[in-house]
Amino acid sequence: MTATGFTRRSALTIIASCGGAVATGRAWAEDKSGRVIYPVAVPIYQSQFVADRAGFFREAGLDCKLVQGGSGVKTREIIASSQGDVGLGDVTHPMQLSNHGRNGRILLPTDTRSSSAMFIIRKDLWDQGITTLEALTAWKRPDGRKPIISVSSLGGTNHVWSSYYMETMGLDDKVTWIGTGNVDTMLGSLKTKQVDVLVSSQSLLNDSKEQGWGTLLFDGTDETIWNKYIGGKVPVTAHFTVQSTIDKDPPKIGAFVTALWRAAQWIRTHSPDEVYGMIEPYVGSTSRGANILEITALKNVADFDGIIDEASFARGGKVWFREMTGIKPLTMAEVVSPDFVAAARKSYPG
């Protein structure tokens, strides 16, 4: 077994074709199979779920299997070790890969601001009057320790963006950050008061409120707050791979991106209820109502154009390239591969 829990013998598969795929945006199978990797079972990763359930992978000639990585960091490790073809996670993951000699490549952005930077505080702390981030950081746990903030994984999407907010406010060194994994363990850590704040998305906020475990402390996904601290559109989450995987079979990656582009356009033209009906098998750890709320929120932040420009990349740079991430600055050309989505857009106009 490897560190990520896959055996070396379980070779990755995804069926894609040869011949003109990048030029036409269409790629047909030549009996190649592989996997796409998503971190945890929440709607933010819905484009992969829809591409599978709506048959877009199959129509692109792909025999695709979706694998839950367990966190953004584990997803990155799976892609880096060639145990997966395309991952979905924070854009810092391919940047981290590039910084470590793996030449990560961003294939297709999925949003324009974070949808998972909601600070969910324990309800009992809120009832004690801790209703701001400043009040939280002034409070101490019964043993005298700093407040504990939980994210899915250290270095993952919600950690990157929530820590930037805290740094900007001068509060980051007044809390302890820990990673608590998937939906069940994240909610469990809040329920059992092992953590004081959980940073996540709308579906987990809704479920924690319904169960009486938590409530909203600070909404880093709100457009007004986002623009105040970030300044505008930024690619936050994206489908990514490594250059060596592209080099092995460019038409295969072209087929992937085409299927994922089509999934994004399907989401754009369908209601939250219809989207939920499509992805329900993948998001069963949270309630239908919570998922509908998150799917609705995701529409407000989604990138249905699939284009990263210099201005949005520059805005993101102040968040990506800082001490917390440890990522050395990269240019857009060094990490973004725009040709595949350009071909997909041509074949399937949005």
Side-chain angles (χ1 to χ4, degrees), residues 38-45 49 68-72 120 150-153 158 179-191 195 198-208 211 213 282-287 290-291 294:
Y38 63 96
V40 294
V42 292
I44 188 175
Y45 306 112
F49 307 153
Q68 183 174 316
S71 71
I120 306 165
S150 162
V151 292
S152 175
S153 62
N158 49 7
T180 50
N182 199 3
V183 173
D184 293 336
T185 51
M186 284 191 289
L187 285 174
S189 68
L190 191 70
K191 174 186 177 182
V195 303
L198 170 65
V199 179
S200 193
S201 57
Q202 182 69 54
S203 60
L204 270 68
L205 170 62
N206 190 71
D207 267 17
S208 67
Q211 298 294 332
W213 304 332
Y282 291 102
V283 295
S285 294
T286 45
S287 68
N291 282 305
E294 183 165 345

mmCIF file of all heavy atoms in Angstrom, residues 38-45 49 68-72 120 150-153 158 179-191 195 198-208 211 213 282-287 290-291 294:
data_model
loop_
_atom_site.group_PDB
_atom_site.id
_atom_site.type_symbol
_atom_site.label_atom_id
_atom_site.label_comp_id
_atom_site.label_asym_id
_atom_site.label_seq_id
_atom_site.Cartn_x
_atom_site.Cartn_y
_atom_site.Cartn_z
ATOM 1 N N TYR A 38 -11.479 13.685 -6.225
ATOM 2 C CA TYR A 38 -12.056 14.825 -5.519
ATOM 3 C C TYR A 38 -11.750 14.656 -4.028
ATOM 4 O O TYR A 38 -11.663 13.529 -3.523
ATOM 5 C CB TYR A 38 -13.561 14.933 -5.756
ATOM 6 C CG TYR A 38 -14.372 13.765 -5.239
ATOM 7 C CD1 TYR A 38 -14.987 13.826 -3.986
ATOM 8 C CD2 TYR A 38 -14.534 12.601 -5.988
ATOM 9 C CE1 TYR A 38 -15.727 12.766 -3.511
ATOM 10 C CE2 TYR A 38 -15.271 11.531 -5.513
ATOM 11 C CZ TYR A 38 -15.864 11.615 -4.279
ATOM 12 O OH TYR A 38 -16.602 10.549 -3.800
ATOM 13 N N PRO A 39 -11.562 15.760 -3.279
ATOM 14 C CA PRO A 39 -11.139 15.640 -1.879
ATOM 15 C C PRO A 39 -12.185 15.054 -0.939
ATOM 16 O O PRO A 39 -11.943 14.014 -0.312
ATOM 17 C CB PRO A 39 -10.779 17.076 -1.495
ATOM 18 C CG PRO A 39 -10.437 17.733 -2.789
ATOM 19 C CD PRO A 39 -11.416 17.142 -3.771
ATOM 20 N N VAL A 40 -13.335 15.719 -0.799
ATOM 21 C CA VAL A 40 -14.345 15.273 0.156
ATOM 22 C C VAL A 40 -15.719 15.361 -0.498
ATOM 23 O O VAL A 40 -15.902 15.998 -1.539
ATOM 24 C CB VAL A 40 -14.323 16.111 1.455
ATOM 25 C CG1 VAL A 40 -13.027 15.896 2.211
ATOM 26 C CG2 VAL A 40 -14.515 17.595 1.173
ATOM 27 N N ALA A 41 -16.714 14.730 0.141
ATOM 28 C CA ALA A 41 -18.030 14.560 -0.471
ATOM 29 C C ALA A 41 -18.949 15.743 -0.200
ATOM 30 O O ALA A 41 -19.913 15.640 0.559
ATOM 31 C CB ALA A 41 -18.662 13.267 0.027
ATOM 32 N N VAL A 42 -18.654 16.880 -0.827
ATOM 33 C CA VAL A 42 -19.494 18.067 -0.714
ATOM 34 C C VAL A 42 -19.716 18.643 -2.118
ATOM 35 O O VAL A 42 -18.950 18.365 -3.049
ATOM 36 C CB VAL A 42 -18.851 19.132 0.205
ATOM 37 C CG1 VAL A 42 -18.818 18.639 1.645
ATOM 38 C CG2 VAL A 42 -17.447 19.487 -0.263
ATOM 39 N N PRO A 43 -20.771 19.457 -2.291
ATOM 40 C CA PRO A 43 -21.138 19.916 -3.631
ATOM 41 C C PRO A 43 -20.111 20.774 -4.356
ATOM 42 O O PRO A 43 -20.209 20.924 -5.579
ATOM 43 C CB PRO A 43 -22.425 20.712 -3.388
ATOM 44 C CG PRO A 43 -23.033 20.077 -2.189
ATOM 45 C CD PRO A 43 -21.859 19.744 -1.322
ATOM 46 N N ILE A 44 -19.118 21.345 -3.658
ATOM 47 C CA ILE A 44 -18.142 22.172 -4.359
ATOM 48 C C ILE A 44 -17.448 21.390 -5.479
ATOM 49 O O ILE A 44 -16.992 21.960 -6.464
ATOM 50 C CB ILE A 44 -17.106 22.751 -3.373
ATOM 51 C CG1 ILE A 44 -16.208 23.775 -4.073
ATOM 52 C CG2 ILE A 44 -16.283 21.653 -2.749
ATOM 53 C CD1 ILE A 44 -15.244 24.480 -3.137
ATOM 54 N N TYR A 45 -17.442 20.076 -5.381
ATOM 55 C CA TYR A 45 -16.791 19.237 -6.396
ATOM 56 C C TYR A 45 -17.801 18.682 -7.399
ATOM 57 O O TYR A 45 -17.554 17.668 -8.042
ATOM 58 C CB TYR A 45 -16.014 18.120 -5.698
ATOM 59 C CG TYR A 45 -15.056 18.671 -4.668
ATOM 60 C CD1 TYR A 45 -15.254 18.441 -3.306
ATOM 61 C CD2 TYR A 45 -13.991 19.488 -5.045
ATOM 62 C CE1 TYR A 45 -14.400 18.995 -2.352
ATOM 63 C CE2 TYR A 45 -13.137 20.046 -4.096
ATOM 64 C CZ TYR A 45 -13.350 19.791 -2.755
ATOM 65 O OH TYR A 45 -12.510 20.337 -1.821
ATOM 66 N N PHE A 49 -18.830 15.225 -10.351
ATOM 67 C CA PHE A 49 -19.972 14.352 -10.130
ATOM 68 C C PHE A 49 -20.930 14.380 -11.331
ATOM 69 O O PHE A 49 -21.419 13.346 -11.782
ATOM 70 C CB PHE A 49 -20.729 14.756 -8.863
ATOM 71 C CG PHE A 49 -19.887 14.859 -7.620
ATOM 72 C CD1 PHE A 49 -20.260 15.707 -6.582
ATOM 73 C CD2 PHE A 49 -18.724 14.124 -7.476
ATOM 74 C CE1 PHE A 49 -19.500 15.806 -5.426
ATOM 75 C CE2 PHE A 49 -17.945 14.217 -6.317
ATOM 76 C CZ PHE A 49 -18.343 15.060 -5.303
ATOM 77 N N GLN A 68 -12.541 9.400 -4.011
ATOM 78 C CA GLN A 68 -12.464 10.419 -2.978
ATOM 79 C C GLN A 68 -11.093 10.352 -2.320
ATOM 80 O O GLN A 68 -10.691 9.332 -1.760
ATOM 81 C CB GLN A 68 -13.555 10.186 -1.928
ATOM 82 C CG GLN A 68 -13.589 11.261 -0.857
ATOM 83 C CD GLN A 68 -14.766 11.089 0.080
ATOM 84 O OE1 GLN A 68 -15.884 10.821 -0.355
ATOM 85 N NE2 GLN A 68 -14.525 11.241 1.360
ATOM 86 N N GLY A 69 -10.370 11.479 -2.393
ATOM 87 C CA GLY A 69 -9.023 11.508 -1.857
ATOM 88 C C GLY A 69 -8.974 11.607 -0.343
ATOM 89 O O GLY A 69 -8.031 11.151 0.291
ATOM 90 N N GLY A 70 -9.975 12.234 0.269
ATOM 91 C CA GLY A 70 -9.994 12.395 1.719
ATOM 92 C C GLY A 70 -9.649 13.804 2.163
ATOM 93 O O GLY A 70 -10.033 14.228 3.245
ATOM 94 N N SER A 71 -8.925 14.537 1.327
ATOM 95 C CA SER A 71 -8.598 15.938 1.586
ATOM 96 C C SER A 71 -7.927 16.486 0.343
ATOM 97 O O SER A 71 -7.530 15.731 -0.555
ATOM 98 C CB SER A 71 -7.656 16.082 2.788
ATOM 99 O OG SER A 71 -6.351 15.616 2.466
ATOM 100 N N GLY A 72 -7.768 17.817 0.300
ATOM 101 C CA GLY A 72 -7.095 18.415 -0.840
ATOM 102 C C GLY A 72 -5.641 17.986 -0.940
ATOM 103 O O GLY A 72 -5.124 17.726 -2.033
ATOM 104 N N ILE A 120 -17.593 28.599 11.185
ATOM 105 C CA ILE A 120 -18.733 28.077 11.939
ATOM 106 C C ILE A 120 -18.290 27.856 13.386
ATOM 107 O O ILE A 120 -17.437 27.010 13.665
ATOM 108 C CB ILE A 120 -19.215 26.742 11.330
ATOM 109 C CG1 ILE A 120 -19.499 26.905 9.825
ATOM 110 C CG2 ILE A 120 -20.436 26.223 12.066
ATOM 111 C CD1 ILE A 120 -19.624 25.586 9.076
ATOM 112 N N SER A 150 -10.675 24.355 12.919
ATOM 113 C CA SER A 150 -10.563 23.142 12.106
ATOM 114 C C SER A 150 -10.809 23.445 10.633
ATOM 115 O O SER A 150 -11.732 24.179 10.276
ATOM 116 C CB SER A 150 -11.595 22.116 12.589
ATOM 117 O OG SER A 150 -11.810 21.117 11.606
ATOM 118 N N VAL A 151 -9.970 22.862 9.778
ATOM 119 C CA VAL A 151 -10.164 22.884 8.331
ATOM 120 C C VAL A 151 -10.080 21.444 7.846
ATOM 121 O O VAL A 151 -9.655 20.553 8.582
ATOM 122 C CB VAL A 151 -9.102 23.753 7.624
ATOM 123 C CG1 VAL A 151 -9.290 25.214 7.969
ATOM 124 C CG2 VAL A 151 -7.690 23.295 7.984
ATOM 125 N N SER A 152 -10.486 21.203 6.613
ATOM 126 C CA SER A 152 -10.423 19.843 6.090
ATOM 127 C C SER A 152 -8.994 19.319 6.104
ATOM 128 O O SER A 152 -8.716 18.225 6.589
ATOM 129 C CB SER A 152 -10.990 19.798 4.665
ATOM 130 O OG SER A 152 -10.823 18.508 4.107
ATOM 131 N N SER A 153 -8.065 20.108 5.565
ATOM 132 C CA SER A 153 -6.652 19.730 5.576
ATOM 133 C C SER A 153 -5.804 20.991 5.621
ATOM 134 O O SER A 153 -6.146 22.002 5.003
ATOM 135 C CB SER A 153 -6.288 18.896 4.341
ATOM 136 O OG SER A 153 -6.486 19.640 3.155
ATOM 137 N N ASN A 158 -9.948 25.721 2.165
ATOM 138 C CA ASN A 158 -10.506 26.559 3.232
ATOM 139 C C ASN A 158 -9.422 27.071 4.176
ATOM 140 O O ASN A 158 -9.555 28.151 4.754
ATOM 141 C CB ASN A 158 -11.640 25.850 3.987
ATOM 142 C CG ASN A 158 -11.286 24.449 4.424
ATOM 143 O OD1 ASN A 158 -10.149 24.006 4.304
ATOM 144 N ND2 ASN A 158 -12.274 23.746 4.939
ATOM 145 N N GLY A 179 -6.228 20.005 10.874
ATOM 146 C CA GLY A 179 -6.992 19.380 9.804
ATOM 147 C C GLY A 179 -7.805 18.230 10.363
ATOM 148 O O GLY A 179 -7.282 17.407 11.129
ATOM 149 N N THR A 180 -9.090 18.163 10.002
ATOM 150 C CA THR A 180 -9.959 17.120 10.558
ATOM 151 C C THR A 180 -10.621 16.239 9.500
ATOM 152 O O THR A 180 -11.480 15.422 9.826
ATOM 153 C CB THR A 180 -11.048 17.737 11.463
ATOM 154 O OG1 THR A 180 -11.699 18.807 10.783
ATOM 155 C CG2 THR A 180 -10.442 18.254 12.752
ATOM 156 N N GLY A 181 -10.223 16.378 8.226
ATOM 157 C CA GLY A 181 -10.626 15.389 7.235
ATOM 158 C C GLY A 181 -11.962 15.624 6.562
ATOM 159 O O GLY A 181 -12.290 16.737 6.150
ATOM 160 N N ASN A 182 -12.761 14.571 6.453
ATOM 161 C CA ASN A 182 -13.976 14.567 5.654
ATOM 162 C C ASN A 182 -15.172 15.119 6.439
ATOM 163 O O ASN A 182 -15.048 15.521 7.604
ATOM 164 C CB ASN A 182 -14.264 13.140 5.161
ATOM 165 C CG ASN A 182 -15.201 13.118 3.975
ATOM 166 O OD1 ASN A 182 -15.616 14.145 3.446
ATOM 167 N ND2 ASN A 182 -15.552 11.915 3.549
ATOM 168 N N VAL A 183 -16.331 15.109 5.790
ATOM 169 C CA VAL A 183 -17.531 15.732 6.347
ATOM 170 C C VAL A 183 -17.862 15.192 7.735
ATOM 171 O O VAL A 183 -18.081 15.960 8.680
ATOM 172 C CB VAL A 183 -18.728 15.522 5.391
ATOM 173 C CG1 VAL A 183 -20.027 16.003 6.040
ATOM 174 C CG2 VAL A 183 -18.494 16.253 4.075
ATOM 175 N N ASP A 184 -17.925 13.881 7.872
ATOM 176 C CA ASP A 184 -18.329 13.287 9.149
ATOM 177 C C ASP A 184 -17.378 13.667 10.281
ATOM 178 O O ASP A 184 -17.814 13.988 11.395
ATOM 179 C CB ASP A 184 -18.396 11.762 9.020
ATOM 180 C CG ASP A 184 -19.508 11.307 8.086
ATOM 181 O OD1 ASP A 184 -20.478 12.069 7.912
ATOM 182 O OD2 ASP A 184 -19.403 10.202 7.539
ATOM 183 N N THR A 185 -16.080 13.616 10.016
ATOM 184 C CA THR A 185 -15.108 13.930 11.069
ATOM 185 C C THR A 185 -15.060 15.423 11.364
ATOM 186 O O THR A 185 -14.845 15.821 12.515
ATOM 187 C CB THR A 185 -13.716 13.410 10.690
ATOM 188 O OG1 THR A 185 -13.373 13.866 9.370
ATOM 189 C CG2 THR A 185 -13.671 11.898 10.720
ATOM 190 N N MET A 186 -15.267 16.255 10.344
ATOM 191 C CA MET A 186 -15.312 17.693 10.589
ATOM 192 C C MET A 186 -16.491 18.052 11.491
ATOM 193 O O MET A 186 -16.342 18.760 12.495
ATOM 194 C CB MET A 186 -15.399 18.461 9.256
ATOM 195 C CG MET A 186 -14.091 18.539 8.496
ATOM 196 S SD MET A 186 -14.139 19.707 7.107
ATOM 197 C CE MET A 186 -15.192 18.832 5.957
ATOM 198 N N LEU A 187 -17.686 17.557 11.139
ATOM 199 C CA LEU A 187 -18.864 17.842 11.955
ATOM 200 C C LEU A 187 -18.735 17.215 13.338
ATOM 201 O O LEU A 187 -19.125 17.808 14.346
ATOM 202 C CB LEU A 187 -20.120 17.326 11.257
ATOM 203 C CG LEU A 187 -20.614 18.143 10.056
ATOM 204 C CD1 LEU A 187 -21.780 17.431 9.379
ATOM 205 C CD2 LEU A 187 -21.018 19.549 10.467
ATOM 206 N N GLY A 188 -18.149 16.022 13.392
ATOM 207 C CA GLY A 188 -17.965 15.350 14.679
ATOM 208 C C GLY A 188 -17.054 16.123 15.614
ATOM 209 O O GLY A 188 -17.292 16.175 16.827
ATOM 210 N N SER A 189 -16.015 16.750 15.050
ATOM 211 C CA SER A 189 -15.089 17.513 15.887
ATOM 212 C C SER A 189 -15.765 18.740 16.484
ATOM 213 O O SER A 189 -15.452 19.152 17.605
ATOM 214 C CB SER A 189 -13.857 17.933 15.072
ATOM 215 O OG SER A 189 -14.192 18.897 14.081
ATOM 216 N N LEU A 190 -16.722 19.320 15.754
ATOM 217 C CA LEU A 190 -17.470 20.469 16.276
ATOM 218 C C LEU A 190 -18.480 20.004 17.321
ATOM 219 O O LEU A 190 -18.608 20.610 18.391
ATOM 220 C CB LEU A 190 -18.172 21.192 15.132
ATOM 221 C CG LEU A 190 -18.779 22.560 15.455
ATOM 222 C CD1 LEU A 190 -17.684 23.589 15.684
ATOM 223 C CD2 LEU A 190 -19.710 23.023 14.330
ATOM 224 N N LYS A 191 -19.181 18.926 17.017
ATOM 225 C CA LYS A 191 -20.194 18.384 17.927
ATOM 226 C C LYS A 191 -19.590 18.037 19.282
ATOM 227 O O LYS A 191 -20.185 18.320 20.331
ATOM 228 C CB LYS A 191 -20.836 17.151 17.296
ATOM 229 C CG LYS A 191 -21.803 16.419 18.212
ATOM 230 C CD LYS A 191 -22.296 15.137 17.573
ATOM 231 C CE LYS A 191 -23.210 14.369 18.530
ATOM 232 N NZ LYS A 191 -23.671 13.087 17.933
ATOM 233 N N VAL A 195 -12.986 21.010 18.648
ATOM 234 C CA VAL A 195 -12.563 22.252 17.999
ATOM 235 C C VAL A 195 -13.565 23.331 18.354
ATOM 236 O O VAL A 195 -14.696 23.047 18.779
ATOM 237 C CB VAL A 195 -12.462 22.085 16.464
ATOM 238 C CG1 VAL A 195 -11.514 20.950 16.108
ATOM 239 C CG2 VAL A 195 -13.833 21.865 15.828
ATOM 240 N N LEU A 198 -15.155 25.641 12.961
ATOM 241 C CA LEU A 198 -14.963 24.823 11.771
ATOM 242 C C LEU A 198 -15.086 25.733 10.561
ATOM 243 O O LEU A 198 -16.070 26.466 10.430
ATOM 244 C CB LEU A 198 -16.031 23.728 11.716
ATOM 245 C CG LEU A 198 -16.139 22.907 10.439
ATOM 246 C CD1 LEU A 198 -14.879 22.081 10.223
ATOM 247 C CD2 LEU A 198 -17.365 21.992 10.500
ATOM 248 N N VAL A 199 -14.077 25.725 9.683
ATOM 249 C CA VAL A 199 -14.156 26.511 8.456
ATOM 250 C C VAL A 199 -14.566 25.572 7.334
ATOM 251 O O VAL A 199 -13.856 24.613 7.011
ATOM 252 C CB VAL A 199 -12.817 27.192 8.119
ATOM 253 C CG1 VAL A 199 -12.949 27.982 6.814
ATOM 254 C CG2 VAL A 199 -12.391 28.119 9.248
ATOM 255 N N SER A 200 -15.721 25.831 6.740
ATOM 256 C CA SER A 200 -16.201 24.952 5.678
ATOM 257 C C SER A 200 -17.220 25.695 4.824
ATOM 258 O O SER A 200 -17.156 26.915 4.691
ATOM 259 C CB SER A 200 -16.788 23.669 6.280
ATOM 260 O OG SER A 200 -16.986 22.699 5.277
ATOM 261 N N SER A 201 -18.173 24.941 4.294
ATOM 262 C CA SER A 201 -19.104 25.480 3.304
ATOM 263 C C SER A 201 -20.538 25.512 3.828
ATOM 264 O O SER A 201 -20.818 25.127 4.969
ATOM 265 C CB SER A 201 -19.033 24.624 2.037
ATOM 266 O OG SER A 201 -19.310 23.268 2.358
ATOM 267 N N GLN A 202 -21.443 25.940 2.946
ATOM 268 C CA GLN A 202 -22.834 26.156 3.331
ATOM 269 C C GLN A 202 -23.502 24.884 3.848
ATOM 270 O O GLN A 202 -24.282 24.929 4.811
ATOM 271 C CB GLN A 202 -23.618 26.699 2.136
ATOM 272 C CG GLN A 202 -25.076 27.013 2.417
ATOM 273 C CD GLN A 202 -25.253 28.197 3.335
ATOM 274 O OE1 GLN A 202 -24.732 29.262 3.080
ATOM 275 N NE2 GLN A 202 -26.000 28.023 4.428
ATOM 276 N N SER A 203 -23.235 23.749 3.228
ATOM 277 C CA SER A 203 -23.925 22.526 3.633
ATOM 278 C C SER A 203 -23.567 22.137 5.064
ATOM 279 O O SER A 203 -24.425 21.718 5.845
ATOM 280 C CB SER A 203 -23.607 21.375 2.672
ATOM 281 O OG SER A 203 -22.231 21.097 2.624
ATOM 282 N N LEU A 204 -22.299 22.288 5.440
ATOM 283 C CA LEU A 204 -21.898 21.950 6.803
ATOM 284 C C LEU A 204 -22.407 22.983 7.803
ATOM 285 O O LEU A 204 -22.749 22.650 8.940
ATOM 286 C CB LEU A 204 -20.380 21.805 6.902
ATOM 287 C CG LEU A 204 -19.859 20.376 6.628
ATOM 288 C CD1 LEU A 204 -20.065 19.988 5.170
ATOM 289 C CD2 LEU A 204 -18.399 20.244 7.010
ATOM 290 N N LEU A 205 -22.464 24.257 7.377
ATOM 291 C CA LEU A 205 -23.053 25.283 8.242
ATOM 292 C C LEU A 205 -24.503 24.945 8.532
ATOM 293 O O LEU A 205 -24.951 24.976 9.690
ATOM 294 C CB LEU A 205 -22.960 26.660 7.579
ATOM 295 C CG LEU A 205 -23.756 27.784 8.257
ATOM 296 C CD1 LEU A 205 -23.255 28.036 9.669
ATOM 297 C CD2 LEU A 205 -23.714 29.063 7.425
ATOM 298 N N ASN A 206 -25.251 24.610 7.498
ATOM 299 C CA ASN A 206 -26.666 24.331 7.665
ATOM 300 C C ASN A 206 -26.887 23.121 8.568
ATOM 301 O O ASN A 206 -27.726 23.154 9.484
ATOM 302 C CB ASN A 206 -27.314 24.086 6.303
ATOM 303 C CG ASN A 206 -28.832 24.027 6.385
ATOM 304 O OD1 ASN A 206 -29.489 25.035 6.607
ATOM 305 N ND2 ASN A 206 -29.386 22.834 6.218
ATOM 306 N N ASP A 207 -26.123 22.052 8.348
ATOM 307 C CA ASP A 207 -26.293 20.856 9.167
ATOM 308 C C ASP A 207 -25.914 21.117 10.622
ATOM 309 O O ASP A 207 -26.587 20.645 11.544
ATOM 310 C CB ASP A 207 -25.450 19.708 8.607
ATOM 311 C CG ASP A 207 -26.258 18.840 7.649
ATOM 312 O OD1 ASP A 207 -27.318 19.299 7.180
ATOM 313 O OD2 ASP A 207 -25.829 17.708 7.365
ATOM 314 N N SER A 208 -24.850 21.874 10.843
ATOM 315 C CA SER A 208 -24.441 22.153 12.223
ATOM 316 C C SER A 208 -25.479 23.022 12.930
ATOM 317 O O SER A 208 -25.724 22.855 14.132
ATOM 318 C CB SER A 208 -23.062 22.826 12.246
ATOM 319 O OG SER A 208 -23.102 24.117 11.680
ATOM 320 N N GLN A 211 -28.534 20.809 13.817
ATOM 321 C CA GLN A 211 -28.251 19.910 14.931
ATOM 322 C C GLN A 211 -27.998 20.662 16.243
ATOM 323 O O GLN A 211 -27.871 20.045 17.298
ATOM 324 C CB GLN A 211 -27.025 19.053 14.599
ATOM 325 C CG GLN A 211 -27.202 18.148 13.392
ATOM 326 C CD GLN A 211 -28.240 17.074 13.603
ATOM 327 O OE1 GLN A 211 -28.477 16.652 14.730
ATOM 328 N NE2 GLN A 211 -28.882 16.629 12.532
ATOM 329 N N TRP A 213 -25.276 22.421 16.902
ATOM 330 C CA TRP A 213 -23.861 22.371 17.264
ATOM 331 C C TRP A 213 -23.142 23.685 16.992
ATOM 332 O O TRP A 213 -22.175 24.014 17.662
ATOM 333 C CB TRP A 213 -23.143 21.263 16.498
ATOM 334 C CG TRP A 213 -23.736 19.914 16.669
ATOM 335 C CD1 TRP A 213 -24.435 19.455 17.758
ATOM 336 C CD2 TRP A 213 -23.702 18.835 15.728
ATOM 337 N NE1 TRP A 213 -24.831 18.153 17.548
ATOM 338 C CE2 TRP A 213 -24.399 17.744 16.318
ATOM 339 C CE3 TRP A 213 -23.157 18.682 14.461
ATOM 340 C CZ2 TRP A 213 -24.548 16.522 15.664
ATOM 341 C CZ3 TRP A 213 -23.295 17.466 13.813
ATOM 342 C CH2 TRP A 213 -23.987 16.404 14.406
ATOM 343 N N TYR A 282 -23.250 11.233 -4.357
ATOM 344 C CA TYR A 282 -21.921 11.616 -3.897
ATOM 345 C C TYR A 282 -21.934 12.473 -2.632
ATOM 346 O O TYR A 282 -20.888 12.650 -2.010
ATOM 347 C CB TYR A 282 -21.191 12.401 -4.993
ATOM 348 C CG TYR A 282 -20.829 11.564 -6.193
ATOM 349 C CD1 TYR A 282 -21.576 11.637 -7.367
ATOM 350 C CD2 TYR A 282 -19.743 10.699 -6.159
ATOM 351 C CE1 TYR A 282 -21.249 10.873 -8.472
ATOM 352 C CE2 TYR A 282 -19.412 9.923 -7.260
ATOM 353 C CZ TYR A 282 -20.170 10.012 -8.412
ATOM 354 O OH TYR A 282 -19.843 9.248 -9.505
ATOM 355 N N VAL A 283 -23.069 13.015 -2.258
ATOM 356 C CA VAL A 283 -23.104 13.993 -1.158
ATOM 357 C C VAL A 283 -24.077 13.578 -0.061
ATOM 358 O O VAL A 283 -24.707 14.428 0.579
ATOM 359 C CB VAL A 283 -23.441 15.410 -1.686
ATOM 360 C CG1 VAL A 283 -22.336 15.913 -2.589
ATOM 361 C CG2 VAL A 283 -24.786 15.426 -2.437
ATOM 362 N N GLY A 284 -24.170 12.296 0.182
ATOM 363 C CA GLY A 284 -25.151 11.782 1.128
ATOM 364 C C GLY A 284 -24.841 12.010 2.583
ATOM 365 O O GLY A 284 -25.671 11.712 3.456
ATOM 366 N N SER A 285 -23.651 12.547 2.910
ATOM 367 C CA SER A 285 -23.298 12.747 4.314
ATOM 368 C C SER A 285 -23.978 13.974 4.914
ATOM 369 O O SER A 285 -23.987 14.139 6.132
ATOM 370 C CB SER A 285 -21.772 12.888 4.466
ATOM 371 O OG SER A 285 -21.128 11.679 4.130
ATOM 372 N N THR A 286 -24.518 14.838 4.078
ATOM 373 C CA THR A 286 -25.248 16.003 4.557
ATOM 374 C C THR A 286 -26.653 15.980 3.977
ATOM 375 O O THR A 286 -26.918 15.323 2.962
ATOM 376 C CB THR A 286 -24.536 17.309 4.164
ATOM 377 O OG1 THR A 286 -24.112 17.234 2.793
ATOM 378 C CG2 THR A 286 -23.305 17.536 5.023
ATOM 379 N N SER A 287 -27.555 16.700 4.594
ATOM 380 C CA SER A 287 -28.971 16.617 4.232
ATOM 381 C C SER A 287 -29.262 17.233 2.869
ATOM 382 O O SER A 287 -28.480 18.034 2.348
ATOM 383 C CB SER A 287 -29.811 17.327 5.296
ATOM 384 O OG SER A 287 -29.567 18.727 5.253
ATOM 385 N N ALA A 290 -29.420 21.043 3.140
ATOM 386 C CA ALA A 290 -28.095 21.657 3.245
ATOM 387 C C ALA A 290 -27.401 21.669 1.898
ATOM 388 O O ALA A 290 -26.755 22.659 1.520
ATOM 389 C CB ALA A 290 -27.253 20.901 4.269
ATOM 390 N N ASN A 291 -27.545 20.590 1.160
ATOM 391 C CA ASN A 291 -26.906 20.523 -0.155
ATOM 392 C C ASN A 291 -27.540 21.493 -1.150
ATOM 393 O O ASN A 291 -26.832 22.117 -1.947
ATOM 394 C CB ASN A 291 -26.971 19.097 -0.697
ATOM 395 C CG ASN A 291 -25.943 18.183 -0.056
ATOM 396 O OD1 ASN A 291 -24.752 18.472 -0.078
ATOM 397 N ND2 ASN A 291 -26.396 17.093 0.523
ATOM 398 N N GLU A 294 -26.131 24.864 -0.512
ATOM 399 C CA GLU A 294 -24.760 25.018 -0.994
ATOM 400 C C GLU A 294 -24.705 25.091 -2.516
ATOM 401 O O GLU A 294 -23.948 25.885 -3.080
ATOM 402 C CB GLU A 294 -23.880 23.872 -0.505
ATOM 403 C CG GLU A 294 -22.434 24.047 -0.925
ATOM 404 C CD GLU A 294 -21.477 23.158 -0.169
ATOM 405 O OE1 GLU A 294 -21.862 22.598 0.862
ATOM 406 O OE2 GLU A 294 -20.323 23.039 -0.627
#
